[in-house]
Amino acid sequence: MQHGKRGPAFWLLGAFFCLFVLFLYGPTLTILILSFQGPSGGLTFPMNGVSLHWFRNLFEKQMVGDFAGSLQRSLLLGVAVMLVTVVASFSAGLAFRSRFRGSGILFYLAIASLIVPSILISLGIGLLYRVLGWDPAWYSSAFGAHLTWTLPFGLLIMFAVFNRFDRRYEEAARDLGATSWQTIRHVVVPILLPSLIGVGLFGFTLSYDEFARSLYTAGTFNTLPLEIYGMTTNVTTPVLYALGTVTTGVSFVVIALSLLSVTWLRRRRARHGSDAGKAA
């Protein structure tokens, strides 16, 4: 194998990639470092000592902001949106495998919210609730607003997954006497489970981080993104950086748990397959 001399294009693209990585992760690393400021530290460098003071201060009662309550609301909202997104996307994927009258119109209506500005959807839902005399709340109007963001992505993912799904597995199950429900439960769902976990993870992270569609729909009690935005105008200590570090850590934990779940499922499926082969 011959190795030629690397040309200027290689070094130019390499430098561009390094700048991209720095631009992408530099702010996160800066916030991570500054969140460990000492008790007398400020919002900028240089560091005045290293401590966990601002993380402890984060979970104490604040003069401004409600971190614990907003985090709890965002987690509950994210989990609820995740469950509905997974169930609705999977059901729609099953339904759209066969053409039916109005399927094209229904599909485009389902994904239309992707091209509408998020702030307009939030404003529209908030105004609708007020016209109807209802109070917007994070568990009702914000829940619906978040679904307009997560469901189209879930639908597109499941449509792609079902497009590659081999229906001969279902036919084999029916030939062995399985009912439609048994086929879905014991054949379709186990095969598509990694994809369903991916849809769930996608739905949770989109809801957990959503700001624009929560702005006019969350009501009296803020979700975490709204709380962080409010704190940026009032909090002048590194407790804001500690909050950013904790929320970023929560996102990484969710991703890690999902990856571990997918890995465990694949190993379990491979082990069962090898056991079945030995039994045969």
Side-chain angles (χ1 to χ4, degrees), residues 134-185:
W134 301 342
D135 293 327
W138 63 273
Y139 52 82
S140 57
S141 53
F143 175 70
H146 285 203
L147 286 176
T148 65
W149 184 231
T150 61
L151 271 178
F153 286 108
L155 292 175
L156 293 174
I157 293 172
M158 291 312 302
F159 289 168
V161 170
F162 273 111
N163 190 48
R164 301 194 309 268
F165 184 76
D166 191 348
R167 303 188 69 168
R168 288 177 295 181
Y169 292 118
E170 297 175 83
E171 295 172 1
R174 294 192 184 97
D175 290 341
L176 293 173
T179 63
S180 297
W181 169 246
Q182 289 173 329
T183 301
I184 292 175
R185 179 182 177 186

Side-chain angles (χ1 to χ4, degrees), residues 85-170:
T85 300
V86 170
V87 173
S89 299
F90 178 72
S91 302
L94 289 173
F96 273 83
R97 290 194 296 176
S98 301
R99 298 284 296 181
F100 56 88
R101 182 176 298 179
S103 60
I105 296 176
L106 185 60
F107 170 75
Y108 288 114
L109 285 176
I111 65 172
S113 62
L114 292 179
I115 61 176
V116 179
S118 297
I119 193 68
L120 292 182
I121 291 179
S122 176
L123 179 61
I125 294 176
L127 289 175
L128 176 63
Y129 264 66
R130 285 179 171 80
V131 168
L132 295 175
W134 301 342
D135 293 327
W138 63 273
Y139 52 82
S140 57
S141 53
F143 175 70
H146 285 203
L147 286 176
T148 65
W149 184 231
T150 61
L151 271 178
F153 286 108
L155 292 175
L156 293 174
I157 293 172
M158 291 312 302
F159 289 168
V161 170
F162 273 111
N163 190 48
R164 301 194 309 268
F165 184 76
D166 191 348
R167 303 188 69 168
R168 288 177 295 181
Y169 292 118
E170 297 175 83

